[in-house]
Amino acid sequence: MSNRTVELELATPGVDAAGNAVRVPLGVEPELAGEHMLVNLGPQHPATHGVLRLVVELDGETVVRVIPHLGYLHSGFEKLGEYRHYNQIIPLTDRTDYLSPMANNVGFALAAEKLMGIAITPRCTVLRLIACEMSRIISHMVWLGTTSIDLGAFTPFLWAFQERERIYNLQEMWTGARLTTSVTRLGGMMADVPDGFVEGLRHFTRTFPRTLSEIDRVLTRNAVWVGRTQGVGALTAAEAINYSLSGPMLRASGVSYDVRKDKPYLDYETYEFDVVVGEHGDVYDRYLVRLEECHQANRILAQALERLPAGPVNVADPRVILPPKSRAMNDMEAMIYHFKQVMEGVKAPVGEAYVGIENPKGELGNYLVSDGTAKPVRWRIRPPSFINLSALPKMAEGHLLSDLIAINASVDIVMGEVDR
Amino acid sequence: MKRVLETKEVSGSPNWLTTRFEELIKWVLQVTRVDKAVNWSRANSLWPMPFGTACCAIEFMATAASRFDFARFGMERQAFSPRQADVLICAGRLPFKLAPVIRRIYDQMPQPKWVISMGACASTGGIFDNYAMVQGIDTIVPVDVYVPGCPPRPEGLLYGVLLLHKKIKGESLLDPALRQEQPLDERGLRLPPETIDEISEPFGNSVHQFRSA
Amino acid sequence: MNASVDALRATFSTAIGRAVESCGDTIVYVAVDRLRDVLSWLRDTPGQQYDYLVDVTAVEYRDRERPLEVVYQLRSLERRVDLRVKVELDPRGDLTVDSVVPLWRGANWLEREVYDMFGVTFRGHPDLRRILMWETYAEGYPLRKDFPLRGRFSRAEQVRQALTANPEAHYSMEELSIADGFAELPEDMKERLRRGERGKLPHSE
């Protein structure tokens, strides 16, 4: 049988006058003259890490083409943001990347404060850094647990989630919620850390490396793990940059770019930590990068706990920070400030600001445009998972179907952020 | 036995024989407690179909992990194929794009099946009262237990599961309506349009949430 | 102010509009028809080297007189410098811009999202389809300011449209035609595709 080569122009319905399908030129010429299969993976599927749908064209077991379909979790965040005050958007940010909620809160608060020109207190700076690094650990623990399940190892999932429970305890102690923390506010935090938090976190930083080394012992030199991840889904550095990848995906391909070092925020330049850079850009390197990033996050946390300064956690600006309830109930001026903030919201000056932070998944950017009112004109989330996922077809084509699962897992997507 | 058979006797009525037969069967089933045995076995081995979409799915996974462990309550195996599942747990928000998917998954589940709507978004649309979000999965599939929370704590989900156990234990094999499939009508809806609009209305009286500036 | 602005003015003179600074970021406005040239110059010229595309998005203002802006956030990894490039389009007119996918592959999905949310068409994009909403979404472009928050249709109608779409509406035409998929489709589906009724819902008025 002959090879089939076909043409397609865009903006046609895909069906010609005779009623035959007008086809797309295949990137890979089929070797066997057999027919390909079109297989639908998802959106409900245990291994797609959320509601991602992959339409896969298979030649036997080899993936010829994979077409991701998104939008199954599109929640209209950016539209909602135009109808909410800046402080009301903070709870929305929890729900985009729900695996590392405190990092999202911090990212948005930094962007809003840059827009309004608010400088936060030293204590708040260190607390936000602690929040970001805690989020990094819990996000990577989910990634580790779910990726091991995808590749067949169930036990690291339980170990990783047990570590997450310890961080959840600390998050609950601080904010009252395990997952939807909403920990930041404009100009400060929702609350200062309670007694016992610092000791609890210190205890965590001392015992966490034990779990990491257990997971390392089980996975890193495991023949099945290495066999399924080495050489799979590799991207060169130039490709990674051209695809606008960020975070561990970019660094595993050998590009030493970390927002914390290159565009530092929250005084990251004063902390000692290493940027973990891989070499081959395959799934195995991404695993090693994320595992080592957990060690580095632990290291940063230990340093941050040592230097946590005393002092107020919120700026002393009553137009931005709600006065304490006792004063709001007793003092007229405080009551008026409270009223204005709650009813009218904090007005931002005309302008726009973009702040990118190093989310566990990559560079999470918040782009806020203001027209002088209390609700933004445009709130754009620059979603690292969305952009990282766009490289999936490039990484997966030519590999086997089971490699597709491993590659999809290695991208570390969270559909709440991909679809927003 | 005589008393039971005498209560509904309407001789001459065309249905009196079937009515008496039903009475007899009901009495037999009551005495032998088949209902109770069946309900007990169903409730204590509910295999969940985790339709996890968003943040609630993470709390669902935490409930499945070692700290809270719903395998203690019979949910030993998460059935990712709807054909092998008993209860569909919709954990997370449901956009309109995902609506036909959950309906199809629900239709693929064999009877007996139940639905737990986990979280505020699955129950009512949650904080997402906008163009993209289904305002509660009960507009699409019939729901048995609603678990509120954003996200509900694992203990909350476990309590919802226990409530479902209680509901199942109160069921009866003789009630045909319970195990009937409820397909969509010819318009493609489960409820009449007026009902959908009514239950999707925003509640509370804050107009600020719909004002842009 | 980013030094690239002066270099841009020196090279492109009239194609470069105003340059503003907001909260420490530099924003430069570029004429729509020269966008591709400006951006490839920024990417390829040594000394500029904006090799990393951070984001592509669009902004529509509440003030109806202001133009709709398509925003390109660029970064030079080597020099650690950011630049924001904007083009202005008439919100009531034709929203068309050249695609930058040939320059940065990462722009592929980003531009699809701008198309989905704002209705901006990108000339030369390899696969311009909706990405977050479904392809046959009939309510419009959600992030436009004239699009109400809760959508244009009633909730019942939105549920109905979501549930009664034909099976072929969930696949792109590309997917239906590859892998012999088209030949094996059911006859009624093929008929609907031939008549161009892929997005038609049953019981629609």
Side-chain angles (χ1 to χ4, degrees):
Chain A
M1 273 172 71
S2 57
N3 286 332
R4 280 164 265 142
T5 50
V6 287
E7 309 293 323
L8 175 76
E9 290 167 41
L10 267 179
T12 61
V15 176
D16 66 17
N20 301 319
V22 184
R23 297 168 130 211
V24 186
L26 295 176
V28 172
E29 287 298 324
E31 283 173 358
L32 294 174
E35 290 168 356
H36 293 176
M37 271 191 299
L38 195 71
V39 165
N40 189 47
L41 235 65
Q44 190 279 320
H45 190 275
T48 52
H49 292 261
V51 283
L52 171 67
R53 178 169 165 232
L54 298 173
V55 177
V56 186
E57 182 185 359
L58 289 173
D59 176 15
E61 280 267 333
T62 313
V63 172
V64 170
R65 186 195 304 249
V66 57
I67 301 167
H69 284 246
L70 313 175
Y72 287 96
L73 200 54
H74 177 64
S75 319
F77 277 98
E78 297 181 357
K79 184 81 179 175
L80 267 180
E82 296 166 14
Y83 291 77
R84 299 281 178 269
H85 300 152
Y86 289 91
N87 269 332
Q88 290 174 331
I89 298 180
I90 306 269
L92 287 177
T93 58
D94 285 324
R95 285 134 176 106
T96 49
D97 180 357
Y98 35 81
L99 302 177
S100 58
M102 294 211 279
N104 301 18
N105 298 149
V106 169
F108 180 80
L110 289 177
E113 285 156 7
K114 181 174 173 183
L115 182 64
M116 298 189 201
I118 300 171
I120 52 178
T121 66
R123 185 172 172 89
C124 181
T125 312
V126 178
L127 282 178
R128 284 187 182 181
L129 189 137
I130 289 176
C132 283
E133 293 307 314
M134 281 166 70
S135 302
R136 192 176 316 279
I137 291 175
I138 57 175
S139 174
H140 284 338
M141 285 293 104
V142 176
W143 175 82
L144 201 56
T146 50
T147 304
S148 346
I149 287 192
D150 284 352
L151 298 181
F154 183 66
T155 322
F157 169 80
L158 296 173
W159 293 340
F161 268 68
Q162 196 57 22
E163 292 304 317
R164 295 195 84 226
E165 289 294 330
R166 293 168 62 193
I167 296 272
Y168 267 5
N169 283 343
L170 294 168
Q171 276 180 197
E172 195 179 6
M173 201 193 283
W174 187 359
T175 65
R178 287 155 54 96
L179 202 154
T180 46
T181 49
S182 305
V183 71
T184 54
R185 296 286 181 267
L186 278 183
M189 306 293 263
M190 75 168 276
D192 204 343
V193 289
D195 298 330
F197 181 88
V198 173
E199 291 75 44
L201 191 56
R202 195 170 280 138
H203 175 73
F204 178 84
T205 57
R206 290 204 187 112
T207 50
F208 182 53
R210 242 178 273 157
T211 313
L212 282 178
S213 63
E214 258 185 62
I215 297 177
D216 183 49
R217 204 166 39 227
V218 162
L219 291 178
T220 309
R221 283 181 176 71
N222 185 311
V224 177
W225 186 263
V226 167
R228 284 202 69 174
T229 56
Q230 267 194 358
V232 170
L235 277 177
T236 64
E239 283 170 342
I241 293 175
N242 201 248
Y243 272 97
S244 301
L245 302 188
S246 51
M249 292 279 293
L250 183 64
R251 290 194 283 280
S253 295
V255 181
S256 167
Y257 187 78
D258 187 326
V259 186
R260 296 173 292 174
K261 289 273 197 209
D262 294 309
K263 293 196 151 286
Y265 53 98
L266 295 177
D267 293 338
Y268 263 108
E269 66 271 21
T270 59
Y271 290 79
E272 269 182 43
F273 66 100
D274 301 323
V275 172
V276 189
V277 178
E279 201 182 317
H280 306 280
D282 57 7
V283 174
Y284 189 63
D285 271 11
R286 292 174 199 141
Y287 154 75
L288 291 175
V289 166
R290 288 191 179 106
L291 199 63
E292 183 58 32
E293 272 189 6
C294 291
H295 281 289
Q296 296 302 318
N298 209 34
R299 194 173 158 197
I300 298 174
L301 275 177
Q303 293 170 51
L305 286 172
E306 291 318 307
R307 70 166 78 178
L308 185 62
V313 77
N314 295 332
V315 293
D317 186 350
R319 289 165 303 170
V320 163
I321 294 289
L322 285 175
K325 236 359 187 221
S326 52
R327 285 200 55 222
M329 291 292 135
N330 292 313
D331 177 35
M332 190 52 161
E333 202 184 322
M335 179 183 281
I336 293 176
Y337 279 130
H338 179 107
F339 181 84
K340 284 183 84 68
Q341 275 182 49
V342 170
M343 292 306 293
E344 297 173 2
V346 180
K347 290 193 175 51
V350 175
E352 51 186 76
Y354 174 85
V355 170
I357 64 162
E358 184 74 22
N359 208 31
K361 315 264 176 324
E363 176 179 344
L364 173 70
N366 278 282
Y367 175 54
L368 282 165
V369 180
S370 161
D371 60 351
T373 57
K375 301 185 182 181
V377 164
R378 177 86 171 99
W379 170 38
R380 158 79 180 164
I381 307 170
R382 187 258 184 207
S385 310
F386 179 81
I387 299 173
N388 289 351
L389 189 61
S390 66
L392 182 71
K394 173 90 178 83
M395 288 192 282
E397 278 159 14
H399 286 285
L400 301 176
L401 185 60
S402 39
D403 295 333
L404 172 65
I405 300 296
I407 296 169
N408 188 28
S410 78
V411 180
D412 194 8
I413 51 171
V414 53
M415 292 312 288
E417 185 179 71
V418 172
D419 290 336
R420 282 153 290 123
Chain B
M1 187 169 168
K2 238 189 190 167
R3 280 179 58 118
V4 171
L5 286 177
E6 273 169 14
T7 46
K8 278 205 177 170
E9 185 156 351
V10 180
S11 63
S13 143
N15 289 331
W16 73 270
L17 186 62
T18 34
T19 317
R20 288 171 65 170
F21 191 62
E22 268 176 20
E23 297 280 338
L24 178 64
I25 298 293
K26 272 192 187 136
W27 179 85
V28 165
L29 287 181
Q30 257 183 350
V31 167
T32 57
R33 301 187 172 220
V34 169
D35 252 352
K36 280 208 162 159
V38 167
N39 289 340
W40 173 87
S41 60
R42 281 177 179 172
N44 288 316
S45 70
L46 282 172
W47 283 6
M49 159 89 230
F51 195 82
T53 49
C55 346
C56 283
I58 308 301
E59 284 298 65
F60 178 89
M61 284 155 65
T63 318
S66 31
R67 187 172 175 186
F68 297 100
D69 194 16
F70 55 34
R72 308 180 271 158
F73 297 97
M75 304 181 121
E76 179 59 44
R77 177 175 166 263
Q78 292 179 40
F80 285 99
S81 165
R83 305 281 185 199
Q84 299 170 359
D86 298 310
V87 58
L88 173 71
I89 301 187
C90 181
R93 47 192 188 256
L94 198 86
F96 284 112
K97 195 166 178 179
L98 202 53
V101 176
I102 195 177
R103 182 71 214 182
R104 180 176 263 201
I105 302 260
Y106 177 74
D107 288 336
Q108 286 176 345
M109 287 167 71
Q111 289 287 358
K113 58 185 172 186
W114 297 271
V115 177
I116 293 182
S117 156
M118 178 183 177
C121 297
S123 307
T124 62
I127 59 176
F128 300 101
D129 195 354
N130 58 24
Y131 61 92
M133 201 58 66
V134 169
Q135 300 295 301
I137 61 171
D138 48 6
T139 54
I140 300 174
V141 296
V143 175
D144 292 289
V145 175
Y146 298 85
V147 183
C150 192
R153 280 191 63 102
E155 290 96 332
L157 178 63
L158 290 173
Y159 181 63
V161 169
L162 291 174
L163 278 181
L164 183 62
H165 286 190
K166 199 166 161 187
K167 181 171 188 178
I168 294 172
K169 286 174 182 160
E171 288 181 349
S172 165
L173 278 177
L174 287 177
D175 186 353
L178 277 179
R179 297 279 79 88
Q180 228 161 30
E181 285 291 330
Q182 299 172 33
L184 299 174
D185 62 18
E186 71 282 346
R187 274 168 314 194
L189 294 174
R190 191 190 145 239
L191 302 169
E194 308 78 41
T195 314
I196 294 183
D197 283 334
E198 194 187 323
I199 63 181
S200 307
E201 258 173 27
F203 44 74
N205 51 10
S206 166
V207 295
H208 292 281
Q209 60 181 327
F210 300 116
R211 275 208 216 120
S212 178
Chain C
M1 182 73 69
N2 195 327
S4 302
V5 176
D6 293 329
L8 276 171
R9 282 201 206 281
T11 318
F12 290 98
S13 61
T14 50
I16 309 297
R18 63 195 190 284
V20 296
E21 203 166 323
S22 179
C23 305
D25 303 331
T26 304
I27 305 150
V28 60
Y29 288 78
V30 169
V32 182
D33 48 345
R34 301 296 306 278
L35 177 71
R36 183 81 74 85
D37 300 328
V38 170
L39 289 179
S40 57
W41 183 87
L42 281 171
R43 186 188 72 154
D44 298 325
T45 311
Q48 302 302 324
Q49 288 172 290
Y50 287 96
D51 50 352
Y52 190 79
L53 177 72
V54 176
D55 198 11
V56 179
T57 183
V59 181
E60 189 184 359
Y61 290 87
R62 293 189 181 114
D63 179 3
R64 306 320 232 95
E65 302 306 313
R66 290 190 68 169
L68 190 148
E69 299 170 344
V70 180
V71 182
Y72 297 83
Q73 182 83 18
L74 302 177
R75 175 173 299 158
S76 170
L77 291 183
E78 197 55 47
R79 300 188 301 124
R80 301 180 186 185
V81 166
D82 276 7
L83 181 67
R84 200 173 302 154
V85 175
K86 290 195 188 184
V87 289
E88 290 174 318
L89 303 171
D90 179 11
R92 275 163 292 218
D94 175 37
L95 299 172
T96 313
V97 155
D98 281 331
S99 167
V100 299
V101 173
L103 297 173
W104 295 282
R105 305 284 287 279
N108 193 325
W109 283 12
L110 291 167
E111 287 180 351
R112 277 179 68 185
E113 188 186 335
V114 175
Y115 167 66
D116 189 3
M117 292 286 119
F118 287 90
V120 176
T121 313
F122 289 88
R123 259 193 301 260
H125 192 282
D127 183 19
L128 196 65
R129 296 179 281 136
R130 286 195 185 257
I131 187 167
L132 294 177
M133 307 309 294
W134 56 98
E135 272 179 62
T136 51
Y137 183 65
E139 283 183 74
Y141 298 106
L143 278 176
R144 298 297 302 272
K145 288 291 191 268
D146 56 358
F147 188 94
L149 176 64
R150 301 181 86 229
R152 292 216 162 94
F153 303 151
S154 74
R155 287 295 185 200
E157 179 60 20
Q158 287 175 335
V159 172
R160 193 188 73 87
Q161 288 198 353
L163 288 179
T164 57
N166 294 317
E168 63 269 19
H170 299 300
Y171 288 87
S172 69
M173 281 312 304
E174 177 186 340
E175 287 155 347
L176 287 172
S177 61
I178 61 178
D180 259 343
F182 192 82
E184 289 169 1
L185 290 176
E187 283 306 319
D188 61 321
M189 203 187 288
K190 278 197 264 193
E191 263 312 301
R192 283 196 295 268
L193 287 169
R194 278 194 198 106
R195 289 197 300 258
E197 287 172 4
R198 188 163 141 235
K200 192 163 183 300
L201 297 167
H203 300 283
S204 283
E205 285 87 50

